[in-house]
Amino acid sequence: MRDGHRLRWLQIICAALAVGLLAGCAGTDPGPPNVPGATAAAPRRAFDPPADFGATAAFMSGDGQVPVVRALDGLSGWALSSTGLARVDLAADTVAPAVFPDHPFIGSRSRPSASEPALGDPVVADTPVGRLALAAFPVEIPGQGTTAARRALELVAADSGTARKAFTVTVPLDESWLQPAAITSLSVRVVGVTGPIVVVTAATTAGAVTAGIDLMSRRIAWSAPDVAGQLIAGDTVITRYEDPLGGSAPELRGLAARDGTQRWAGVEGSGVGSMGPYRVLVEQRSLFNLRGGTLVLDPATGRPVRTPLGRRQSGWRCTYDQRAITVCQLDNLGKPYAVVGLDDSGTELWRILARPNAARVPPDVTTVWHGAVYGYTDAGPVVLDARTGADRTPNATAAPLLVNAYFGIAPAPGPTPESTPDYSSPTELIAVPTSA
């Protein structure tokens, strides 16, 4: 009887081994090793760029179990708030443990309030030291002995693969940042990454500072007082100087990302937007220039360049597709008036205008990525070809605010089928898988 049981167990084990071997031969992915924080492998196909989206895979909200994703990273996204920098596995709808700065965070880690510091979006980038998720936090370095307490901006780097903290770098702030008013008006963020340099900035109504951090040495490479970093175009950091007394118009300055040396200055501009590595869009409307206007600059020299955008028109906003095309939109009375596609040389590729009895209406653009334009009209979400402006998916499922080859992050649907999602300031978002 014992021999019969032993024979039966041997048959079961052999059958299980045979199934496992056959599954391996069939190409089944066993998934990553059991590493804490590792993202489980998902049989999800990539679409680059996606032409549409599927059913909701994850639901996110500011005070929900899954935090709001503010940057995409493959099958995951990164969320940043006073509760830390956390990776969200969108395929599994799970959240890895959050990482925090080494020093005490200025503000609450429970429920952020309007009076707390504003945190910019995290940045995910391939760097010389690996693929990292980068975020900036305002912190306070406690006093010790006769050394007074001081405030600082702390860069937190998390490993993209494990979601664990990789390292931190602290940028000290001037003692004026200790004033209570500096907390309520404080904003910090990662401006961007170029080569081994990550640029961070902190600003209040009374002042600003921008710094370059060398990721190789994990030290401050340079620091520029009085200017707030806006964006990186090529190897130039576009910064803005504002007179704390309000006696002059805001001024844009260009700094070398490598060492922070000033390349140009003296350009009046209240706002700045990216038009890819070769162009920068400058909004000139301010209290000192109520008529405003639009200026397009060469970021390396600060010199104006010709553009098909109307120079006397204010309010253009542009989005680069991270490859070769920039799509710009101009609104009129809160509605899209013009949507224009430009190549990297600044040449106009197509234009859609809001005209009476026109055959086409310009969409409200939510994002642009890898040759596709995502947006919506009164008829619903739509996807356009970024090079031709033609409709690619006239009746899309969603109009994402963020998108990559695997997921789109879009505002959650309204309470009724007829209601329109809140695209301007959504508090609830959904992750939708991409499709062809």
Side-chain angles (χ1 to χ4, degrees):
M1 191 71 174
R2 291 180 179 175
D3 291 341
H5 280 296
R6 186 179 295 111
L7 179 60
R8 177 60 180 160
W9 278 110
L10 286 173
Q11 290 173 336
I12 293 173
I13 292 171
C14 289
L17 288 172
V19 171
L21 290 172
L22 288 174
C25 293
T28 300
D29 186 357
N34 186 21
V35 178
T39 302
R44 192 175 298 281
R45 182 179 168 189
F47 298 91
D48 187 0
D52 207 353
F53 304 91
T56 300
F59 180 86
M60 297 162 283
S61 65
D63 55 359
Q65 183 176 358
V66 179
V68 171
V69 164
R70 298 167 67 178
L72 286 173
D73 182 21
L75 292 169
S76 301
W78 289 88
L80 176 63
S81 69
S82 59
T83 55
L85 173 65
R87 190 184 67 186
V88 179
D89 185 333
L90 297 171
D93 197 13
T94 59
V95 185
V99 296
F100 297 94
D102 294 338
H103 297 96
F105 173 76
I106 298 175
S108 168
R109 286 190 179 181
S110 56
R111 185 182 295 271
S113 66
S115 63
E116 291 188 357
L119 305 179
D121 293 337
V123 172
V124 182
D126 290 311
T127 76
V129 294
R131 187 167 178 82
L132 301 173
L134 301 159
F137 290 88
V139 299
E140 182 165 311
I141 302 174
Q144 185 175 8
T146 59
T147 303
R150 58 179 177 167
R151 295 235 164 92
L153 178 156
E154 189 168 330
L155 173 72
V156 175
D159 183 275
S160 171
T162 65
R164 292 174 173 173
K165 186 192 294 184
F167 58 86
T168 67
V169 181
T170 302
V171 179
L173 300 175
D174 186 83
E175 62 182 19
S176 63
W177 297 71
L178 286 168
Q179 301 300 321
I183 300 178
T184 58
S185 62
L186 176 60
S187 65
V188 297
R189 70 186 186 96
V190 175
V191 179
V193 181
T194 176
I197 301 294
V198 54
V199 178
V200 296
T201 192
T204 69
T205 54
V209 63
T210 298
I213 297 173
D214 190 318
L215 294 173
M216 303 290 287
S217 64
R218 301 181 186 177
R219 298 188 178 199
I220 301 172
W222 55 268
S223 181
D226 304 324
V227 293
Q230 304 298 296
L231 56 85
I232 297 178
D235 61 352
T236 301
V237 184
I238 311 300
T239 64
R240 183 175 65 192
Y241 168 79
E242 290 195 51
D243 183 353
L245 300 178
S248 61
E251 175 195 350
L252 299 181
R253 302 173 182 176
L255 311 181
R258 179 177 58 85
D259 57 13
T261 56
Q262 185 170 289
R263 290 178 168 170
W264 51 267
V267 177
E268 181 182 327
S270 56
V272 61
S274 175
M275 296 183 71
Y278 311 109
R279 303 285 188 275
V280 172
L281 178 75
V282 176
E283 171 64 48
Q284 296 192 298
R285 183 190 295 272
S286 69
L287 292 175
F288 297 86
N289 185 359
L290 297 179
R291 294 184 62 185
T294 295
L295 189 64
V296 177
L297 301 180
D298 178 337
T301 65
R303 296 172 182 167
V305 295
R306 297 187 64 180
T307 172
L309 305 182
R311 184 164 181 174
R312 294 184 179 180
Q313 295 170 316
S314 295
W316 285 99
R317 65 178 190 270
C318 299
T319 307
Y320 185 55
D321 80 336
Q322 305 302 315
R323 281 191 174 168
I325 297 174
T326 295
V327 176
C328 298
Q329 177 177 329
L330 180 67
D331 291 348
N332 182 32
L333 300 177
K335 290 283 190 177
Y337 170 73
V339 176
V340 182
L342 310 170
D343 65 15
D344 274 349
S345 70
T347 301
E348 182 175 327
L349 301 174
W350 52 269
R351 179 180 294 243
I352 305 174
L353 295 176
R355 295 284 176 83
N357 303 317
R360 304 184 71 195
V361 296
D364 207 324
V365 177
T366 54
T367 193
V368 186
W369 189 70
H370 287 197
V373 183
Y374 303 91
Y376 61 95
T377 66
D378 290 341
V382 62
V383 181
L384 276 60
D385 184 289
R387 183 158 293 278
T388 65
D391 287 8
R392 181 171 178 178
T393 309
N395 298 298
T397 302
L401 307 173
L402 299 172
V403 69
N404 68 3
Y406 298 98
F407 285 97
I409 305 298
T416 64
E418 298 79 17
S419 58
T420 302
D422 182 2
Y423 290 100
S424 59
S425 55
T427 57
E428 299 177 336
L429 298 174
I430 57 173
V432 285
T434 61
S435 65

Short mmCIF file of all heavy atoms in Angstrom, two decimals, residues 112-140:
data_model
loop_
_atom_site.label_atom_id
_atom_site.label_comp_id
_atom_site.label_asym_id
_atom_site.label_seq_id
_atom_site.Cartn_x
_atom_site.Cartn_y
_atom_site.Cartn_z
N PRO A 112 -2.33 67.37 3.25
CA PRO A 112 -1.77 68.68 2.91
C PRO A 112 -2.86 69.75 2.87
O PRO A 112 -4.01 69.48 2.55
CB PRO A 112 -1.15 68.45 1.53
CG PRO A 112 -1.87 67.26 0.98
CD PRO A 112 -2.21 66.41 2.16
N SER A 113 -2.48 70.97 3.19
CA SER A 113 -3.41 72.09 3.16
C SER A 113 -2.92 73.13 2.17
O SER A 113 -1.80 73.07 1.67
CB SER A 113 -3.53 72.71 4.55
OG SER A 113 -2.30 73.30 4.94
N ALA A 114 -3.77 74.12 1.90
CA ALA A 114 -3.44 75.13 0.91
C ALA A 114 -2.26 76.00 1.34
O ALA A 114 -1.60 76.62 0.52
CB ALA A 114 -4.66 76.01 0.65
N SER A 115 -1.99 76.04 2.67
CA SER A 115 -0.91 76.89 3.17
C SER A 115 0.43 76.19 3.13
O SER A 115 1.45 76.78 3.48
CB SER A 115 -1.22 77.33 4.60
OG SER A 115 -1.29 76.20 5.46
N GLU A 116 0.48 74.91 2.74
CA GLU A 116 1.73 74.18 2.72
C GLU A 116 2.50 74.44 1.43
O GLU A 116 1.94 74.89 0.42
CB GLU A 116 1.46 72.69 2.90
CG GLU A 116 0.96 72.35 4.29
CD GLU A 116 0.88 70.87 4.51
OE1 GLU A 116 1.14 70.10 3.58
OE2 GLU A 116 0.53 70.45 5.64
N PRO A 117 3.81 74.13 1.44
CA PRO A 117 4.62 74.35 0.24
C PRO A 117 4.09 73.58 -0.97
O PRO A 117 3.56 72.47 -0.85
CB PRO A 117 6.00 73.83 0.66
CG PRO A 117 6.00 73.92 2.16
CD PRO A 117 4.59 73.65 2.58
N ALA A 118 4.24 74.19 -2.14
CA ALA A 118 3.81 73.54 -3.37
C ALA A 118 4.96 72.69 -3.91
O ALA A 118 6.10 73.15 -4.01
CB ALA A 118 3.41 74.60 -4.39
N LEU A 119 4.64 71.45 -4.25
CA LEU A 119 5.64 70.52 -4.78
C LEU A 119 5.44 70.34 -6.27
O LEU A 119 4.33 70.06 -6.72
CB LEU A 119 5.54 69.17 -4.08
CG LEU A 119 5.63 69.17 -2.55
CD1 LEU A 119 5.48 67.76 -2.01
CD2 LEU A 119 6.93 69.78 -2.09
N GLY A 120 6.50 70.49 -7.05
CA GLY A 120 6.41 70.27 -8.48
C GLY A 120 6.32 68.80 -8.81
O GLY A 120 6.46 67.92 -7.94
N ASP A 121 6.05 68.49 -10.06
CA ASP A 121 5.93 67.09 -10.48
C ASP A 121 7.27 66.38 -10.39
O ASP A 121 8.33 66.98 -10.63
CB ASP A 121 5.42 67.02 -11.92
CG ASP A 121 3.99 67.51 -12.06
OD1 ASP A 121 3.26 67.50 -11.06
OD2 ASP A 121 3.61 67.91 -13.18
N PRO A 122 7.26 65.07 -10.07
CA PRO A 122 8.51 64.31 -10.12
C PRO A 122 8.98 64.18 -11.57
O PRO A 122 8.19 64.29 -12.51
CB PRO A 122 8.12 62.95 -9.53
CG PRO A 122 6.64 62.84 -9.76
CD PRO A 122 6.11 64.24 -9.68
N VAL A 123 10.26 63.93 -11.73
CA VAL A 123 10.87 63.76 -13.05
C VAL A 123 11.52 62.39 -13.10
O VAL A 123 12.29 62.03 -12.20
CB VAL A 123 11.91 64.85 -13.33
CG1 VAL A 123 12.68 64.55 -14.61
CG2 VAL A 123 11.23 66.22 -13.44
N VAL A 124 11.21 61.60 -14.13
CA VAL A 124 11.82 60.29 -14.33
C VAL A 124 12.77 60.40 -15.50
O VAL A 124 12.39 60.87 -16.58
CB VAL A 124 10.75 59.21 -14.60
CG1 VAL A 124 11.41 57.84 -14.76
CG2 VAL A 124 9.72 59.18 -13.47
N ALA A 125 14.01 59.97 -15.31
CA ALA A 125 15.02 60.17 -16.36
C ALA A 125 16.07 59.08 -16.31
O ALA A 125 16.41 58.55 -15.24
CB ALA A 125 15.68 61.54 -16.21
N ASP A 126 16.60 58.73 -17.49
CA ASP A 126 17.78 57.88 -17.60
C ASP A 126 19.00 58.77 -17.40
O ASP A 126 19.20 59.74 -18.13
CB ASP A 126 17.83 57.19 -18.95
CG ASP A 126 16.75 56.14 -19.11
OD1 ASP A 126 16.60 55.31 -18.20
OD2 ASP A 126 16.04 56.16 -20.13
N THR A 127 19.80 58.45 -16.41
CA THR A 127 20.96 59.26 -16.05
C THR A 127 22.22 58.41 -16.09
O THR A 127 22.14 57.17 -16.18
CB THR A 127 20.78 59.87 -14.65
OG1 THR A 127 21.03 58.85 -13.66
CG2 THR A 127 19.38 60.43 -14.45
N PRO A 128 23.40 59.02 -15.99
CA PRO A 128 24.64 58.23 -15.94
C PRO A 128 24.72 57.28 -14.75
O PRO A 128 25.55 56.38 -14.74
CB PRO A 128 25.73 59.31 -15.87
CG PRO A 128 25.12 60.52 -16.48
CD PRO A 128 23.68 60.47 -16.11
N VAL A 129 23.87 57.47 -13.74
CA VAL A 129 23.89 56.59 -12.57
C VAL A 129 22.63 55.72 -12.51
O VAL A 129 22.31 55.15 -11.47
CB VAL A 129 24.03 57.41 -11.27
CG1 VAL A 129 25.38 58.09 -11.23
CG2 VAL A 129 22.92 58.43 -11.12
N GLY A 130 21.93 55.59 -13.64
CA GLY A 130 20.77 54.72 -13.70
C GLY A 130 19.48 55.49 -13.92
O GLY A 130 19.46 56.72 -13.98
N ARG A 131 18.39 54.75 -14.07
CA ARG A 131 17.08 55.36 -14.26
C ARG A 131 16.52 55.73 -12.89
O ARG A 131 16.35 54.88 -12.02
CB ARG A 131 16.13 54.42 -14.99
CG ARG A 131 14.78 55.06 -15.36
CD ARG A 131 14.02 54.22 -16.35
NE ARG A 131 12.72 54.79 -16.69
CZ ARG A 131 12.52 55.75 -17.59
NH1 ARG A 131 13.56 56.25 -18.24
NH2 ARG A 131 11.32 56.20 -17.86
N LEU A 132 16.21 57.03 -12.73
CA LEU A 132 15.83 57.54 -11.43
C LEU A 132 14.50 58.30 -11.50
O LEU A 132 14.17 58.88 -12.53
CB LEU A 132 16.89 58.51 -10.89
CG LEU A 132 18.31 57.97 -10.70
CD1 LEU A 132 19.25 59.10 -10.33
CD2 LEU A 132 18.34 56.88 -9.63
N ALA A 133 13.78 58.28 -10.40
CA ALA A 133 12.66 59.20 -10.17
C ALA A 133 13.17 60.26 -9.21
O ALA A 133 13.69 59.94 -8.14
CB ALA A 133 11.46 58.46 -9.58
N LEU A 134 13.03 61.53 -9.61
CA LEU A 134 13.62 62.62 -8.85
C LEU A 134 12.53 63.58 -8.37
O LEU A 134 11.61 63.90 -9.13
CB LEU A 134 14.62 63.38 -9.73
CG LEU A 134 15.78 62.54 -10.27
CD1 LEU A 134 16.40 63.22 -11.49
CD2 LEU A 134 16.83 62.35 -9.19
N ALA A 135 12.64 64.02 -7.14
CA ALA A 135 11.67 64.94 -6.58
C ALA A 135 12.37 65.90 -5.63
O ALA A 135 13.40 65.56 -5.04
CB ALA A 135 10.56 64.19 -5.84
N ALA A 136 11.80 67.10 -5.48
CA ALA A 136 12.35 68.11 -4.59
C ALA A 136 11.39 68.35 -3.43
O ALA A 136 10.18 68.48 -3.64
CB ALA A 136 12.59 69.42 -5.35
N PHE A 137 11.93 68.39 -2.22
CA PHE A 137 11.15 68.63 -1.02
C PHE A 137 11.72 69.83 -0.26
O PHE A 137 12.94 69.99 -0.19
CB PHE A 137 11.20 67.42 -0.07
CG PHE A 137 10.45 66.21 -0.55
CD1 PHE A 137 11.08 65.28 -1.36
CD2 PHE A 137 9.14 65.99 -0.18
CE1 PHE A 137 10.42 64.14 -1.80
CE2 PHE A 137 8.46 64.86 -0.60
CZ PHE A 137 9.10 63.93 -1.41
N PRO A 138 10.87 70.67 0.36
CA PRO A 138 11.37 71.69 1.28
C PRO A 138 11.57 71.05 2.66
O PRO A 138 10.68 70.36 3.16
CB PRO A 138 10.26 72.73 1.29
CG PRO A 138 9.02 71.93 1.02
CD PRO A 138 9.42 70.76 0.16
N VAL A 139 12.71 71.25 3.26
CA VAL A 139 13.00 70.62 4.55
C VAL A 139 13.59 71.65 5.51
O VAL A 139 14.00 72.74 5.10
CB VAL A 139 13.98 69.43 4.41
CG1 VAL A 139 13.40 68.35 3.51
CG2 VAL A 139 15.33 69.91 3.86
N GLU A 140 13.63 71.28 6.78
CA GLU A 140 14.29 72.11 7.79
C GLU A 140 15.38 71.29 8.45
O GLU A 140 15.13 70.18 8.93
CB GLU A 140 13.28 72.61 8.82
CG GLU A 140 13.93 73.52 9.86
CD GLU A 140 12.92 74.31 10.66
OE1 GLU A 140 12.02 74.92 10.05
OE2 GLU A 140 13.03 74.31 11.89
#
